[in-house]
Amino acid sequence: MKKRNIRLGRVLLLAALFFLGIGIGTAKAQQVKVQGKVSDANGSLVGGSVLVEGTATGGITNADGEFQLSLNPGKYTLRASFVGYSTQKKTIQILAGKPLKVDFVLNELLELDEVVVLGSRAAPRSRLETAVAVDVIDTKLLKDIPQVNLNQILHYLAPSFNSSTQTISDGTDHIDPASLRGLGPDQVLVLINGKRRHTTSLININGTAGKGSVGTDLNAIPTSAIKRIEILRDGAAAQYGSDAIAGVINIILEDNTEQLRSNLTTGGYLSKNSENTVDGESVQANVNFGLPVGKKGGFINLAGSYDFRNPTNRQKEFTGSIFLDYNRPDLYPNPTGVDITQEELVRQGKTRADYVSRVGQSKNRGGALFVNSVLPVAENAEVYFFGGLNFRNGESAAFRRQPAQLTQNIASIYPDGFLPLINTDNSDRSLSAGIRGKRGKWNIDFSNTLGQNAIDFKTTNSLNASLLAASPTSFEAGGYRFLQNTTNFDVNRVFDVWSGINLAFGAEHRYEKYQIVAGTEDSYRDYGRALVIGEDANGDDILLPDVNGNVSTLFAANGKAYAGGAQAFPGFRPENAVNATRSSVAVYTDAELNFSDSWLLTGALRFENYSDFGSTLNWKTSLRYKLNDNWVLRGAASTGFRAPSLHQRYFSATSSVFTDGEIIQSGTFRNDSRVAKLLGIPELKEETSQNYSLGFTGSLGAFKLTVDGYYIKIDNRVIYTGQFKGSNAADATDQDREIYNLLDQAGASTARFFANAIDTETKGVDVVLSHQTSLFGGTLRSDLSGSYVKTAIIGDAHTSDLLAGKESIYLDHASRVYIESVTPRVKANLSLNYNLGRWNVFLRNVYFGEVEAATNTVADYQTYDPKIITDLSTSYAFTKSLRVTVGANNLFDVYPDKNKGSNVGAGYFIYSRTGQQFGFNGRYVFGRLSLTL
């Protein structure tokens, strides 16, 4: 399959090159050259945009700020723009045979009405004139904010976006799940330069937001590589394909060719709960450098980053049993399991604080290198490529194993218990390459995008108790692999009918491969398992060591069997290993009809066929009407879909999970497993959706306002079920007894699955108000934005007859909370940015609404109150090249409400790890040195 797809890609590439080659240089003879320069008070602006209004014709300024267009004789309006500057328009009259020179000088006021390309295949439009809601984030305006990685930047900046660092959740400690408009991480599509970005190979199976989903690792993209970010807050599956139910995030890479930009940020948590006054120290270094290539606007831009962060811990003491009388046979020769923790702590001169886990952010080290390049190859054609490498090594802690846990600890190795560590090597690489140009009046783009992610796990400071004193303390636990290759062919053209009609069509082929790599035998095997194969002459069982055996042969002092596999993170078994592939083919068409300067009607249709579940047809339409020069009405309706990921179809493993105050071993089983068939869990199919939005934008003098409401209905939504148990009791049914035995063989006590179990509806409204003015000799920009979103499960769960009586397990209360209220329903942001000469002051308050605890214990149902987090920073430019910034995130050291009941566990979670609003690390202070050459 892989070789066939590679051959197909080569054939398509050669065909597209030939097709483009025929059309290069076919511009009509009567076209006239229009050239000029875009500059500001300080000189040329590189990478500025000059567009012909009402058409798709435009150009980008080169290293000298110059642009060049070829137009037929006639009257046109040119629009020059550059991020951070006000747009300028000029009307020109072109006469046959007379070249024209047009220069633009842009002022320095920041532009509140940014130009966007997301959501349309026609010419870019201003944010206030799009048919659907699009947020634009220019990274140049973020130079003074405390956050340094992309997830956290968006979490504090975009109210409809949520992402928090997780704790004690295995690989999810290092890849933060992110959501848009209250939906799952796998229901938002991420693009880079308009091309589909691959997802991570990790599936979130622990107690975190986004449980059961597979998202895109935004933190793998260095911020130094990003020019701006566009967030489309509308369903777009008919335009871009699977995953775009909640919307689309498009990351535009930097095309700077004038400067070397670098910065160094360092900081730490200076909080009332920090260990040793300051903890969680972090350093991030960024650099960006570009060079022009040729004199026709070609460039190559390189960006790199290196960062590390130290861990934090917010657990104060362990409140459970640390020592039992079994731990001191010299003092208790006839132990019965009595708790002797207090006596033993006094005897050893220790406290409960010496036996805590590490509940906070994980340790991380990593770096990234990205490239973005465009190379003109003819008058109307260019080759482009972009992509990058990212590698991070992470270390997260699991739950500490105490001496009292006799079956999980070997006293001769760890007499005082141990804190297992889960180490991850997370490598990510991507490359997009293509050629685009014009054939006559048609714009053609042919590209191929390859993305790969690999995560390898190593469990250290651990043991396999079933190996007794011979156990190693470090284990290779296996890992995940995911590959995605996407080939696109896109064509569009503007027709000079009415005020312009843009017609686009194209095709996409996508190939995906998902793998689970087994760990070493000692990482997963229970060496105390045996199979009874008969009886000897004395009537005793004859045992054969067998990893799937039905009896245990090694027992701790309390008479219970020693646990097998690496503690905290057992390795993947050979039966977990998988190498699954699929492919999809899509064709689409969309049109934008400008009936007049006021009326815009759009429509899109997309057909897609998947090799593993079949076909889907989706549509979208939107309408925009300009009431006048200041006010615009807009609305959209669409259908959408999300294909279940290969991870959800083929993942299986056993892991330690914290459930309602207890740590248990839970197994995830595939839907084609025997356990799934016993419970009537069906095969996965696609999610389908309906999406409706209505809003308006407007200008109130210096104020810019957008208000958008939306409704999203999703059918057959995939969830990660609750935990099913079997039974070997005397009165157990045959079904429960077989389930018990199958779980026992997998080293698990419960079973979970992925299933199309529910229908949901999401209602929300987003409001954005921006203002800019001159104040006391400086410039003040104010941004107020807010989001309200409510997701609710509609009706009963989709169950089978075999699940009768188990509906509350299939969709348990905790799972319901993860879908409906684990992220804030209300979120608001007020940012003030004041610039005066060399000084800049940034002040931001973010309101995080209430969230709920994901628990199945009725007595522990809990709602965490809203909080306001304040960020403050100030910077000073010593020269044009050197700027220093100091500031703080969470200036007033605000923490979420404390947990109650079993949500705390044995003192593990003072603050919730499931209902996350903004994390629980406290005040973060930082300093930043920025250098531009």
Side-chain angles (χ1 to χ4, degrees):
M1 174 67 77
K2 182 176 180 180
K3 291 181 178 178
R4 187 176 68 189
N5 281 285
I6 291 173
R7 288 197 299 270
L8 176 61
R10 288 174 176 170
V11 170
L12 289 173
L13 177 59
L14 290 173
L17 288 171
F18 177 77
F19 184 67
L20 282 172
I22 293 175
I24 290 173
T26 61
K28 294 181 181 180
Q30 68 266 30
Q31 286 189 327
V32 176
K33 286 188 177 180
V34 178
Q35 55 189 357
K37 188 173 185 178
V38 179
S39 61
D40 63 3
N42 298 313
S44 303
L45 292 175
V46 181
S49 174
V50 179
L51 298 171
V52 180
E53 285 199 338
T55 75
T57 302
I60 302 297
T61 59
N62 61 19
D64 297 318
E66 297 172 344
F67 69 93
Q68 181 174 296
L69 306 173
S70 295
L71 299 173
N72 293 323
K75 189 176 182 180
Y76 301 90
T77 297
L78 302 185
R79 182 172 65 191
S81 62
F82 189 83
V83 176
Y85 292 76
S86 296
T87 296
Q88 187 178 125
K89 297 181 181 180
K90 288 189 178 183
T91 300
I92 61 174
Q93 181 72 46
I94 298 177
L95 302 177
K98 293 186 177 181
L100 190 63
K101 190 174 190 301
V102 184
D103 293 331
F104 295 88
V105 178
L106 305 185
N107 64 52
E108 295 187 11
L109 284 178
L110 297 174
E111 176 61 56
L112 298 180
D113 192 9
E114 300 95 337
V115 173
V116 298
V117 298
L118 185 61
S120 171
R121 289 184 169 88
R125 288 187 174 86
S126 75
R127 177 175 60 88
L128 298 182
E129 294 184 352
T130 57
V132 291
V134 181
D135 296 325
V136 181
I137 300 168
D138 175 17
T139 57
K140 294 183 181 66
L141 305 180
L142 306 179
K143 58 183 179 297
D144 293 329
I145 65 172
Q147 293 76 28
V148 294
N149 68 59
L150 187 51
N151 267 320
Q152 285 299 293
I153 288 172
L154 295 178
H155 181 59
Y156 278 88
L157 193 62
S160 59
F161 182 94
N162 283 282
S163 177
S164 292
T165 301
Q166 306 300 315
T167 184
I168 308 193
S169 54
D170 300 344
T172 313
D173 280 16
H174 311 288
I175 300 176
D176 303 334
S179 68
L180 188 66
R181 299 203 293 174
L183 297 178
D186 52 7
Q187 289 162 330
V188 57
L189 175 62
V190 177
L191 309 175
I192 294 187
N193 285 353
K195 307 300 180 182
R196 177 180 284 265
R197 174 76 174 178
H198 63 280
T199 63
T200 177
S201 60
L202 176 79
I203 188 165
N204 303 319
I205 59 167
N206 284 3
T208 69
K211 187 182 78 165
S213 66
V214 181
T216 301
D217 185 7
L218 294 175
N219 290 340
I221 306 165
T223 55
S224 59
I226 301 173
K227 180 177 182 178
R228 72 177 187 273
I229 304 161
E230 301 174 349
I231 303 176
L232 171 64
R233 293 183 276 111
D234 199 69
Q239 296 169 288
Y240 299 106
S242 179
D243 306 344
I245 290 177
V248 181
I249 298 174
N250 186 28
I251 297 169
I252 308 296
L253 296 182
E254 184 62 74
D255 54 9
N256 162 54
T257 60
E258 274 194 334
Q259 300 169 324
L260 185 151
R261 304 169 183 165
S262 62
N263 63 67
L264 177 68
T265 304
T266 183
Y269 291 97
L270 180 63
S271 171
K272 61 187 177 185
N273 291 323
S274 295
E275 296 182 321
N276 302 317
T277 307
V278 178
D279 63 2
E281 299 89 349
S282 62
V283 173
Q284 185 184 83
N286 282 305
V287 64
N288 182 280
F289 178 64
L291 289 171
V293 178
K295 296 183 179 181
K296 296 183 179 180
F299 69 89
I300 184 168
N301 182 274
L302 296 172
S305 71
Y306 171 78
D307 60 295
F308 79 82
R309 71 182 187 198
N310 282 333
T312 60
N313 181 32
R314 295 297 177 262
Q315 184 186 3
K316 296 303 180 183
E317 63 177 22
F318 179 74
T319 60
S321 296
I322 300 174
F323 298 100
L324 302 177
D325 51 7
Y326 287 107
N327 297 120
R328 293 303 302 265
D330 55 327
L331 300 178
Y332 300 90
N334 299 302
T336 59
V338 174
D339 189 328
I340 62 167
T341 298
Q342 286 305 118
E343 301 96 301
E344 197 62 22
L345 289 176
V346 172
R347 185 177 291 113
Q348 294 188 24
K350 295 182 178 180
T351 69
R352 288 184 173 273
D354 295 315
Y355 292 86
V356 296
S357 299
R358 198 165 78 196
V359 182
Q361 73 179 20
S362 60
K363 182 178 179 181
N364 220 341
R365 301 287 188 277
L369 177 65
F370 260 62
V371 63
N372 183 33
S373 182
V374 172
L375 304 173
V377 293
E379 185 68 24
N380 291 309
E382 61 187 18
V383 171
Y384 61 91
F385 62 90
F386 57 87
L389 303 172
N390 179 282
F391 177 81
R392 287 172 298 180
N393 174 262
E395 179 192 273
S396 61
F399 295 103
R400 183 182 177 87
R401 269 48 174 179
Q402 308 293 356
Q405 294 173 272
L406 302 181
T407 63
Q408 296 168 282
N409 184 40
I410 302 298
S412 60
I413 301 178
Y414 297 112
D416 220 22
F418 60 98
L419 180 65
L421 299 175
I422 302 171
N423 297 267
T424 59
D425 285 335
N426 182 359
S427 60
D428 201 284
R429 55 183 178 174
S430 63
L431 178 64
S432 292
I435 183 169
R436 60 193 172 209
K438 300 190 71 171
R439 186 179 190 275
K441 293 185 177 181
W442 292 93
N443 300 298
I444 303 171
D445 186 345
F446 179 79
S447 66
N448 191 82
T449 301
L450 176 67
Q452 293 177 286
N453 177 254
I455 301 177
D456 290 305
F457 295 93
K458 185 176 184 178
T459 310
T460 60
N461 199 48
S462 182
L463 54 73
N464 183 332
S466 69
L467 282 170
L468 305 178
S471 174
T473 59
S474 177
F475 304 87
E476 299 293 339
Y480 308 126
R481 307 284 186 271
F482 182 69
L483 177 148
Q484 178 179 280
N485 190 82
T486 308
T487 304
N488 293 96
F489 184 69
D490 305 295
V491 180
N492 80 288
R493 175 185 170 177
V494 174
F495 293 87
D496 295 326
V497 179
W498 293 310
S499 293
I501 295 178
N502 186 84
L503 177 64
F505 58 89
E508 177 179 288
H509 177 271
R510 190 162 74 252
Y511 170 80
E512 296 176 336
K513 180 167 70 173
Y514 173 66
Q515 296 173 278
I516 297 178
V517 180
T520 56
E521 182 183 282
D522 57 5
S523 72
Y524 63 81
R525 182 166 182 176
D526 183 346
Y527 290 91
R529 287 279 180 174
L531 189 65
V532 178
I533 60 174
E535 294 184 354
D536 60 18
N538 298 320
D540 296 326
D541 290 337
I542 300 175
L543 303 177
L544 177 69
D546 190 318
V547 66
N548 294 317
N550 54 7
V551 297
S552 297
T553 61
L554 298 174
F555 301 93
N558 60 1
K560 296 182 179 180
Y562 279 110
Q567 281 299 301
F569 194 91
F572 296 108
R573 299 165 176 251
E575 55 265 35
N576 299 139
V578 68
N579 186 356
T581 64
R582 76 171 173 201
S583 61
S584 67
V585 177
V587 292
Y588 76 86
T589 183
D590 72 32
E592 298 191 10
L593 287 72
N594 295 274
F595 293 111
S596 67
D597 289 339
S598 298
W599 287 98
L600 169 66
L601 175 66
T602 76
L605 193 65
R606 186 183 186 95
F607 172 82
E608 194 150 351
N609 177 267
Y610 281 78
S611 60
D612 56 349
F613 71 80
S615 303
T616 178
L617 178 67
N618 293 276
W619 58 266
K620 179 175 182 176
T621 184
S622 63
L623 181 68
R624 186 217 64 199
Y625 176 64
K626 288 185 180 181
L627 296 172
N628 51 45
D629 289 341
N630 294 322
W631 294 95
V632 173
L633 295 178
R634 60 191 183 190
S638 64
T639 63
F641 76 102
R642 187 190 72 82
S645 66
L646 288 175
H647 316 53
Q648 291 171 328
R649 288 175 60 87
Y650 295 103
F651 175 82
S652 65
T654 299
S655 59
S656 302
V657 297
F658 181 82
T659 303
D660 299 327
E662 296 183 43
I663 304 171
I664 62 173
Q665 294 298 111
S666 182
T668 302
F669 293 84
R670 287 166 47 168
N671 290 37
D672 57 0
S673 65
R674 174 60 181 166
V675 180
K677 295 185 184 305
L678 287 169
L679 289 167
I681 307 294
E683 290 292 316
L684 289 176
K685 58 184 177 181
E686 76 274 20
E687 300 174 346
T688 59
S689 67
Q690 301 171 44
N691 199 313
Y692 304 93
S693 65
L694 182 65
F696 65 88
T697 72
S699 299
L700 297 166
F703 290 90
K704 308 293 183 181
L705 173 68
T706 70
V707 179
D708 294 278
Y710 56 89
Y711 172 84
I712 307 169
K713 185 177 185 298
I714 304 176
D715 293 329
N716 297 313
R717 188 164 169 177
V718 177
I719 70 164
Y720 193 39
T721 70
Q723 301 181 47
F724 293 91
K725 295 181 179 180
S727 174
N728 65 344
D731 59 348
T733 64
D734 291 341
Q735 178 198 42
D736 283 347
R737 194 180 301 277
E738 184 176 358
I739 291 173
Y740 178 88
N741 290 331
L742 291 170
L743 295 181
D744 189 51
Q745 291 175 14
S749 58
T750 66
R752 296 177 290 174
F753 310 88
F754 296 97
N756 297 95
I758 58 172
D759 301 333
T760 66
E761 64 177 16
T762 300
K763 302 173 183 177
V765 61
D766 296 325
V767 180
V768 179
L769 179 64
S770 301
H771 177 262
Q772 185 169 283
T773 186
S774 296
L775 183 67
F776 303 126
T779 302
L780 174 66
R781 172 161 178 164
S782 308
D783 294 282
L784 175 63
S785 55
S787 176
Y788 170 80
V789 57
K790 181 179 180 180
T791 296
I793 296 172
I794 306 171
D796 298 327
H798 310 321
T799 62
S800 66
D801 293 339
L802 294 175
L803 284 166
K806 295 182 171 67
E807 292 88 351
S808 62
I809 301 174
Y810 188 58
L811 176 64
D812 59 16
H813 183 267
S815 297
R816 183 179 290 271
V817 170
Y818 279 121
I819 293 165
E820 294 184 334
S821 53
V822 80
T823 57
R825 287 178 174 171
V826 179
K827 195 174 164 191
N829 178 315
L830 174 61
S831 298
L832 303 174
N833 199 320
Y834 182 66
N835 183 270
L836 177 63
R838 297 188 177 190
W839 288 95
N840 192 82
V841 178
F842 174 79
L843 174 64
R844 175 171 61 198
N845 282 295
V846 182
Y847 174 91
F848 293 93
E850 65 181 30
V851 296
E852 295 183 26
T855 177
N856 291 316
T857 304
V858 176
D860 295 333
Y861 287 0
Q862 186 174 356
T863 298
Y864 306 96
D865 290 337
K867 304 290 180 181
I868 295 177
I869 302 301
T870 301
D871 293 351
L872 177 65
S873 68
T874 183
S875 65
Y876 181 76
F878 288 93
T879 68
K880 288 186 177 180
S881 299
L882 181 64
R883 174 179 291 270
V884 174
T885 306
V886 294
N889 164 238
N890 195 355
L891 179 66
F892 300 112
D893 204 21
V894 176
Y895 278 81
D897 291 348
K898 290 186 177 181
N899 271 329
K900 67 178 184 180
S902 65
N903 294 329
V904 183
Y908 294 117
F909 302 110
I910 299 175
Y911 309 101
S912 176
R913 72 160 183 161
T914 60
Q916 289 251 2
Q917 294 160 296
F918 50 87
F920 50 79
N921 282 318
R923 181 194 299 113
Y924 177 83
V925 296
F926 77 99
R928 179 174 298 136
L929 180 66
S930 302
L931 181 66
T932 302
L933 299 175

